[in-house]
C-alpha cells in the first residue's frame, strides 16, 4: 500500500507511521515526491484494513497497490525515475545510447570501439567479460581480464561501463570495476543473482527474459528494489516467438506498456532482438518512436571476425550512419 502523508506532516508523525508498520513486519520505502512524502509499505495485505492508518496524525490517505509489483509500479511513484550511471542520466530528456562489443576480446578491440563510439554520441560503453553462451564450447569471455580492459577504456574515454554478471558469487568483483551491472535475459529470474545485485550498490540494467511476460520482468525488478537498490533500467531485448526470420521478436509494444506500468526507464536492444545488423537501424528508430529512453547497440571494429554475435553487430561506419539517421526521430519524439 501507499501511505500519502500530508504536505505539512512532521518528522515525528512520519516516524510514528513508519514504526507502527515496521513493527507489523512491513518493509517501508520512503519516496520523496515533488510535493509530499509517500511511504510505500509492502507486507501482509490482510492486516491493512484493521490498522486504521488514516486516523494517524499527518496521514492524508492510504491507497492499496493492486498490482503484484509494488515499488517499481507507477502507482507508488508517478514521476519517471532518472537513473544515474556515472554522470549519465537515463530516463531524462536525453536518449542514451550504450554501445560496444558483445564480448571483450582484447585491449585493442575495446579501445578502438570505445574511441569511435564516444566520438559518435555513445554515452555508456558496453562489453561482456562473462558471456552466457548457449554452447559450452563457445567463447565464454575473458572474465576479470576483460573487466580490466573495460576499466582501462573508461579511463581513456571517460565513458562509464556496463557489463554483465552471471553468477551471484562474482557480483562483488564485477561491481568493483563496472559502473552498471547487466543482468542478462537468461538470468532474469535467477533470484539469487537479483538479490545479489540488489545489494551491490551499483545501478542495474535488467534485460527481459527470452520468454518472460512484462509482469514477470517487473517482478524481477521488484526483487532488486526489495533489497534496497532503486537504480534499475529495464531493457527490452526481444522475446521468443514462432517467427524464425529474426533471432527473437522485438516486442516494441512492451516499451510503452512497461513505461505506463512502471516509473523505471526502459531501453531497447535491437541487436539481440533481431540477430541481424541490417535490422538494427530501423528498429532503433521504432524504439525511439515508441518512447524508449535509450538503446543498447553492439558495435565491433570488424563484425565478421567477432568472437560473439558478429552477425548482429554494427561496424563503426554503420553505427555512424545510424546515429545520424536517428537524429530526426529523437527530435520528433520530443527528446534530445
Ligand atoms: C548481451 O547483451 O551481451 C546479451 C548476452 O544479451 P541477452 O542477455 O539479451 O541475450
Ligand atoms: Mn551479444
Amino acid at each position: 500500500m501507499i501511505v500519502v502523508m500530508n504536505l505539512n506532516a512532521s518528522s515525528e508523525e512520519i516516524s510514528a507511521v513508519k514504526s507502527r508498520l515496521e513493527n507489523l513486519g512491513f518493509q517501508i520505502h520512503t519516496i520523496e515526491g515533488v510535493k509530499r512524502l509517500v511511504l510505500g509499505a509492502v507486507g501482509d495485505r490482510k492486516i491493512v484494513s484493521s490498522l486504521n492508518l488514516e486516523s494517524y496524525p499527518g496521514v492524508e490517505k492510504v491507497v492499496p497497490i493492486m498490482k503484484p509489483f509494488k515499488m517499481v509500479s507507477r502507482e507508488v511513484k508517478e514521476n519517471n525515475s532518472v537513473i544515474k550511471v556515472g554522470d549519465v542520466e537515463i530516463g531524462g530528456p536525453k536518449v542514451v545510447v550504450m554501445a560496444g562489443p558483445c564480448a571483450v576480446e582484447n585491449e585493442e578491440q575495446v579501445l578502438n570501439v570505445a574511441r569511435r563510439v564516444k566520438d559518435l554520441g555513445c554515452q555508456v560503453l558496453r562489453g561482456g567479460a562473462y558471456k552466457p553462451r548457449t554452447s559450452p564450447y563457445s567463447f565464454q569471455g575473458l572474465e576479470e581480464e576483460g573487466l580490466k580492459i573495460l576499466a582501462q577504456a573508461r579511463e581513456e574515454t571517460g565513458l562509464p561501463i556496463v557489463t554483465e554478471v552471471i553468477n551471484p558469487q562474482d557480483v562483488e568483483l564485477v561491481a568493483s570495476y563496472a559502473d552498471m551491472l547487466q543482468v542478462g535475459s537468461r538470468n532474469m529470474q535467477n533470484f539469487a543473482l537479483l538479490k545479489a545485485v540488489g545489494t551491490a550498490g551499483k545501478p542495474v540494467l535488467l534485460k527481459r527474459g527470452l520468454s518472460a511476460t512484462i509482469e514477470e520482468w517487473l517482478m524481477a525488478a521488484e526483487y532488486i528494489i526489495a533489497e534496497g537498490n532503486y537504480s534499475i533500467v529495464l531493457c527490452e531485448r526481444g522475446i521468443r516467438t514462432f517467427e524464425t526470420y529474426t533471432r527473437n521478436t522485438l516486442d516494441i509494444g512492451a516499451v510503452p506498456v512497461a513505461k505506463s506500468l512502471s516509473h523505471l526507464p526502459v531501453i531497447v536492444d535491437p541487436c539481440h532482438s533481431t540477430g541481424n545488423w541490417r535490422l538494427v537501424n530501423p528498429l532503433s528508430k521504432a524504439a525511439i518512436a515508441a518512447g524508449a529512453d535509450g538503446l543498447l547497440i553492439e558495435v565491433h571494429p570488424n563484425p565478421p571476425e567477432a568472437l560473439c554475435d558478429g552477425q548482429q553487430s554494427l561496424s563503426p561506419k554503420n553505427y555512424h550512419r545510424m546515429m545520424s539517421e536517428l537524429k530526426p526521430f529523437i527530435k520528433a519524439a520530443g527528446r534530445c
Side-chain angles (χ1 to χ4, degrees), residues 135-332:
S135 164
Y137 309 118
S138 301
F139 176 58
Q140 304 285 310
L142 297 182
E143 304 189 344
E144 191 171 0
E145 192 196 331
L147 297 173
K148 288 186 176 150
I149 295 174
L150 286 168
Q152 202 184 329
R154 170 180 51 210
E155 201 140 298
E156 201 188 291
T157 60
L159 292 173
I161 53 181
V162 56
T163 194
E164 181 162 357
V165 55
I166 57 183
N167 187 335
Q169 288 94 285
D170 294 332
V171 167
E172 209 181 317
L173 176 76
V174 179
S176 71
Y177 289 94
D179 299 288
M180 181 180 221
L181 302 170
Q182 178 172 322
V183 173
S185 197
R186 288 155 193 82
N187 274 312
M188 190 206 81
Q189 282 189 321
N190 178 340
F191 299 115
L193 183 64
L194 296 174
K195 286 182 185 171
V197 298
T199 53
K202 288 284 161 85
V204 178
L205 181 63
L206 178 64
K207 294 192 118 186
R208 181 178 178 187
L210 330 194
S211 300
T213 63
I214 294 172
E215 187 165 301
E216 287 163 342
W217 185 24
L218 295 176
M219 291 305 283
E222 189 78 19
Y223 262 89
I224 300 171
I225 283 199
E227 295 298 322
N229 187 349
Y230 293 74
S231 295
I232 304 168
V233 175
L234 300 167
C235 179
E236 161 61 38
R237 49 77 72 203
I239 48 172
R240 185 150 296 179
T241 68
F242 52 80
E243 182 52 69
T244 53
Y245 272 96
T246 47
R247 178 179 178 182
N248 292 290
T249 299
L250 174 61
D251 183 6
I252 197 78
V255 177
V257 171
K259 284 188 68 75
S260 69
L261 293 173
S262 173
H263 51 86
L264 297 174
V266 180
I267 70 164
V268 166
D269 170 352
C271 299
H272 293 88
S273 294
T274 60
N276 180 345
W277 69 268
R278 290 180 181 82
L279 301 177
V280 171
N281 181 332
L283 291 188
S284 294
K285 292 169 180 163
I288 289 164
D293 296 295
L295 297 167
L296 183 69
I297 308 287
E298 288 186 332
V299 181
H300 193 280
N302 187 5
E305 284 186 11
L307 295 182
C308 184
D309 286 350
Q311 71 292 350
Q312 64 190 37
S313 299
L314 298 185
S315 62
K317 191 168 140 228
N318 285 327
Y319 174 79
H320 187 181
R321 179 183 310 159
M322 181 182 85
M323 292 299 279
S324 349
E325 288 184 20
L326 288 182
K327 282 184 188 144
F329 287 82
I330 293 172
K331 194 161 170 234

